[in-house]
């Protein structure tokens, strides 16, 4: 289909740069916990970048991290403009990516279903075993004596 769209290429470059910055260069003490850059969406005119991040931690840590991310956004914007040699560096907007938490919740629900299914199957086997210990249709006990 040809070369990928330029916004997609720029978005991938921004994702890599932001991830590196957060891992190595973020000095804001509010940015704590485990922060992962999951995706970047660019507008077609390359003026705005929505950076989706996943933050592990309690609610207070997540809130503080997003405040810290908001405060480093302008510094990050200028750094991206220089590093990627963009005429106009995009405005950075950090957004919460709930997909990892959502996937974790789905895994938890599937595990619960498997546990419940195994418990029902075990109960059915126990019921079948209990029914088989009594006298059979001919009155003869099926258990070995």
């Amino acid at each position: 289909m040809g070369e990928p769209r330029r916004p997609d290429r720029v978005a991938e470059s921004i994702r890599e740069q932001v991830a590196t910055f957060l891992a190595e260069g973020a000095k804001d003490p509010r940015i704590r916990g485990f922060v992962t850059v999951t995706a970047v969406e660019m507008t077609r005119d390359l003026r705005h970048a929505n950076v989706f991040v996943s933050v592990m931690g309690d609610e207070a840590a997540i809130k503080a991290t997003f405040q810290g991310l908001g405060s480093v956004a302008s510094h990050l914007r200028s750094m991206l403009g220089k590093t990627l040699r963009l005429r106009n560096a995009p405005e950075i907007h950090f957004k919460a990516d709930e997909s990892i938490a959502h996937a974790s919740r789905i895994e938890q629900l599937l595990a619960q279903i498997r546990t419940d299914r195994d418990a029902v199957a075990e109960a059915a086997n126990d019921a079948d075993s209990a029914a088989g210990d009594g006298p059979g249709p001919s009155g003869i006990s099926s258990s070995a004596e």
Side-chain angles (χ1 to χ4, degrees), residues 54-65:
S54 175
V55 181
M56 297 296 178
D58 62 353
E59 198 64 36
I62 292 171
K63 186 176 179 180
T65 298

Side-chain angles (χ1 to χ4, degrees), residues 38-106:
T38 57
V40 175
E41 290 180 356
M42 296 289 303
T43 57
R44 292 177 68 83
D45 63 0
L46 303 177
R47 299 236 182 231
H48 298 275
N50 289 324
V51 179
F52 292 92
V53 295
S54 175
V55 181
M56 297 296 178
D58 62 353
E59 198 64 36
I62 292 171
K63 186 176 179 180
T65 298
F66 273 98
Q67 289 173 348
L69 290 172
S71 71
V72 299
S74 62
H75 171 70
L76 194 54
R77 179 182 184 188
S78 66
M79 186 203 71
L80 287 172
K82 292 173 190 170
T83 305
L84 301 177
R85 295 188 203 141
L86 298 172
R87 183 176 299 146
N88 295 314
E91 286 188 39
I92 307 295
H93 308 281
F94 287 101
K95 309 262 182 188
D97 185 358
E98 302 294 331
S99 63
I100 294 175
H102 186 69
S104 175
R105 176 71 176 138
I106 289 172

Side-chain angles (χ1 to χ4, degrees), residues 13-25 35-38 51 76:
S13 296
I14 288 174
R15 188 191 65 74
E16 291 172 3
Q17 292 294 321
V18 171
T20 301
F21 173 78
L22 292 176
E24 298 171 357
V35 181
T36 305
V37 180
T38 57
V51 179
L76 194 54

Side-chain angles (χ1 to χ4, degrees), residues 87-138:
R87 183 176 299 146
N88 295 314
E91 286 188 39
I92 307 295
H93 308 281
F94 287 101
K95 309 262 182 188
D97 185 358
E98 302 294 331
S99 63
I100 294 175
H102 186 69
S104 175
R105 176 71 176 138
I106 289 172
E107 283 296 321
Q108 184 182 30
L109 291 172
L110 288 173
Q112 182 63 40
I113 289 170
R114 283 191 288 273
T115 302
D116 292 348
R117 183 189 63 210
D118 292 346
V120 167
E122 188 175 311
N125 286 341
D126 289 347
D128 288 345
S129 297
D133 286 343
S138 63

